[in-house]
């Protein structure tokens, strides 16, 4: 199959960028002809806010450039990951112009929420989910704490809702979990176009030993990730189970203060993927303390691949990933006491924790391995191709 993979990279690399790379490698490794179209948010400062804002609604630059790429490589499918803000939905129309099937992975909730995570003032917020227009997001300055910027995101979503872009131009959406799929259906995306395919790894790091000497957090250090809950829990846990914290972000200062003032907290900052896998192999448990709707954190798949149980907040898609008592445990989101109690229960039951490791690895092989994911990805592509073939078949013939 010939596939054009389209992605707007973030200024700080995150999970979406990792998934883009993983799936591109996965296709190439299995003999598919893959072409890439990349833009990068590091270009934003040079473009200026106004140009970026209008371009997020419709980028003439991306439309023309993508059209040229499509004409040259003639793919069967154009698979979009992130289009915001530089590529814009104009990319879909470029693909349609060339008769190419359009697939969009829904990595976040941007089409339903200005800040893409359904969160406001430290709590879950669904005010815009079922509204005909996302005015609440503008009122509360949900994108970058700016009404103007939030209005730009809302204008992009609303205009393309009116144009029928989300309903008619995209052939297949890939949601990362059943939870996410249900939210997108509630928000108005066509149910029959949304398939579920979780994230995966193309490289299998292998099973670790899990020496039970430390817990691990890996991810962005930001409020919605539950960093405050994590730090507060370790005030209770201390060095009974030390925690290593990997990542960077606006909450880094809080973590650095905790590392200086609390027993058992070690801040490692940003680390390479190789180092992260090495840490996962040694860790007792991975902690995912998010207080927002996580879509599908790639670090959960990485933990499962190494056989490391996951202790996660009972929110969003996380309960569908972590089976309490089997592949890890769940705690009440934002509840540091409950998190601390769950950690100490696991520390106090080493036999139960050890028994989870092979189950975690089996879960990875069954759901998140490269072979399973490739089959689901190609199934989504074929569904998109069938969709445009069916649309051609029902068009009236010219007289």
């Amino acid at each position: 199959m010939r596939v054009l993979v389209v992605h707007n990279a973030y200024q700080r690399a995150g999970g979406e960028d990792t998934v883009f790379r993983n799936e591109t490698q996965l296709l190439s490794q299995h003999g598919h002809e893959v072409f890439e179209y990349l833009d990068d948010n590091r270009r934003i400062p040079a473009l200026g806010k106004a140009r970026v804002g209008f371009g997020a609604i419709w980028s003439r630059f991306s439309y023309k450039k993508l059209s040229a790429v499509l004409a040259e490589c003639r793919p069967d499918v154009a698979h979009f990951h992130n289009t915001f803000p530089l590529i814009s939905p104009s990319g879909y129309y470029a693909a349609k112009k060339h008769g190419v099937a359009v697939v969009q992975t829904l990595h976040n909730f941007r089409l339903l929420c200005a800040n893409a995570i359904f969160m406001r003032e430290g709590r879950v917020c669904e005010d815009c989910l079922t509204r005909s227009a996302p005015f609440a997001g503008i009122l509360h300055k949900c994108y970058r704490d700016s009404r103007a910027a939030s209005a730009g995101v809302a204008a992009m979503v609303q205009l393309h809702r009116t144009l029928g872009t989300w309903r008619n131009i995209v052939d297949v959406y890939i949601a990362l979990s059943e939870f996410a799929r249900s939210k997108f259906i509630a928000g108005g995306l066509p149910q029959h176009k949304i398939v579920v395919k979780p994230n995966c790894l193309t490289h299998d790091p292998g099973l670790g030993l899990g020496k039970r000497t430390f817990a691990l957090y890996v991810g962005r250090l930001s409020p919605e990730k539950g960093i405050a809950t994590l730090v507060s829990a370790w005030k209770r846990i201390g060095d009974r189970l030390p925690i290593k914290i990997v990542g960077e972000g606006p909450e880094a200062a809080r973590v650095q203060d905790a590392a200086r003032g609390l027993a058992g907290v070690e801040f490692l900052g940003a680390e390479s993927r190789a180092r992260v896998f090495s840490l996962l192999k040694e860790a007792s448990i991975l902690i995912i303390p998010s207080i927002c709707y996580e879509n599908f954190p790639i670090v959960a798949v990485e933990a499962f691949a190494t056989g490391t149980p996951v202790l996660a907040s009972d929110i969003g898609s996380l309960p569908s990933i972590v089976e309490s008592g089997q592949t890890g445990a769940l705690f009440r989101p934002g509840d540091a006491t409950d998190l601390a109690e769950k950690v100490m229960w696991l520390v106090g039951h080493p036999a139960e924790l050890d028994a989870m490791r092979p189950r975690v690895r089996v879960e990875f092989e069954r759901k998140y391995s490269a072979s399973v994911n490739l089959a689901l990805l190609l199934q989504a592509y074929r569904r998109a191709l069938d969709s445009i073939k069916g649309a051609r078949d029902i068009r009236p013939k010219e007289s």
Side-chain angles (χ1 to χ4, degrees), residues 34-337:
V34 182
F35 308 88
E36 295 182 14
Y37 178 89
L38 282 169
D39 211 330
D40 196 313
N41 281 350
R42 285 176 292 185
R43 291 202 305 116
I44 288 176
L47 295 173
K49 291 182 180 179
R51 185 175 174 185
V52 171
F54 285 112
I57 299 171
W58 183 276
S59 172
R60 289 187 296 174
F61 173 83
S62 294
Y63 180 85
K64 291 178 181 178
K65 196 168 181 183
L66 256 174
S67 290
V69 172
L70 286 155
E72 181 179 352
C73 67
R74 294 183 297 173
D76 303 302
V77 173
H79 182 174
F80 293 80
H81 285 269
N82 179 42
T83 64
F84 184 80
L86 299 178
I87 295 173
S88 85
S90 69
Y92 306 148
Y93 286 86
K96 283 295 180 184
K97 172 187 173 184
H98 291 271
V100 175
V102 174
V103 174
Q104 171 68 62
T105 294
L106 299 165
H107 288 286
N108 57 51
F109 296 106
R110 180 82 62 200
L111 301 188
L112 309 176
C113 169
N115 65 26
I117 58 173
F118 283 127
M119 191 172 179
R120 177 164 59 85
E121 297 174 356
R123 62 176 179 82
V124 169
C125 171
E126 295 186 357
D127 286 357
C128 296
L129 176 59
T130 57
R131 302 288 176 86
S132 58
F135 293 127
I138 302 172
L139 176 66
H140 296 291
K141 302 185 288 187
C142 289
Y143 181 63
R144 297 188 178 275
D145 198 30
S146 163
R147 283 204 177 94
S150 300
V153 177
M156 181 272 289
V157 172
Q158 189 60 34
L159 174 63
H160 287 284
R161 183 180 291 168
T162 303
L163 291 174
T165 302
W166 315 128
R167 181 166 293 277
N168 302 321
I169 304 303
V170 178
D171 298 301
V172 167
Y173 291 99
I174 295 176
L176 304 182
S177 67
E178 287 291 349
F179 172 84
R181 184 175 187 269
S182 70
K183 292 300 176 186
F184 284 109
I185 292 170
L189 290 191
Q191 180 174 345
H192 69 282
K193 288 191 173 186
I194 309 175
V195 301
V196 175
K197 184 195 74 63
N199 288 330
C200 77
L201 295 183
T202 52
H203 165 69
D204 184 350
L207 188 64
L209 297 176
K211 298 176 181 177
R212 298 203 309 270
T213 57
F214 64 89
L216 183 65
Y217 171 88
V218 178
R220 180 164 166 75
L221 304 178
S222 52
E224 73 276 6
K225 298 296 184 180
I227 302 302
T229 305
L230 186 71
V231 169
S232 183
W234 250 262
K235 291 177 182 178
R236 297 165 172 82
I237 297 166
D239 56 8
R240 289 181 290 176
L241 181 66
I243 185 167
K244 298 180 188 291
I245 300 177
V246 176
E248 55 186 354
E251 292 283 90
R254 181 195 291 270
V255 176
Q256 288 173 330
D257 289 343
R260 286 191 290 264
L262 292 177
V265 177
E266 182 180 1
F267 178 47
L268 301 180
E271 294 281 6
S272 67
R273 299 315 299 166
R275 175 62 174 153
V276 167
F277 280 123
S278 177
L279 290 167
L280 281 168
K281 287 183 176 183
E282 297 174 7
S284 301
I285 51 174
L286 174 77
I287 313 289
I288 304 180
S290 300
I291 58 174
C292 68
Y293 288 161
E294 285 284 3
N295 206 335
F296 201 106
I298 190 67
V299 71
V301 179
E302 294 170 342
F304 278 26
T306 61
T308 303
V310 176
L311 177 53
S313 301
D314 189 2
I315 191 171
S317 65
L318 294 174
S320 67
I321 300 169
V322 179
E323 185 178 356
S324 192
Q326 298 297 311
T327 57
L330 299 167
F331 69 94
R332 290 186 295 275
D335 190 331
T337 300

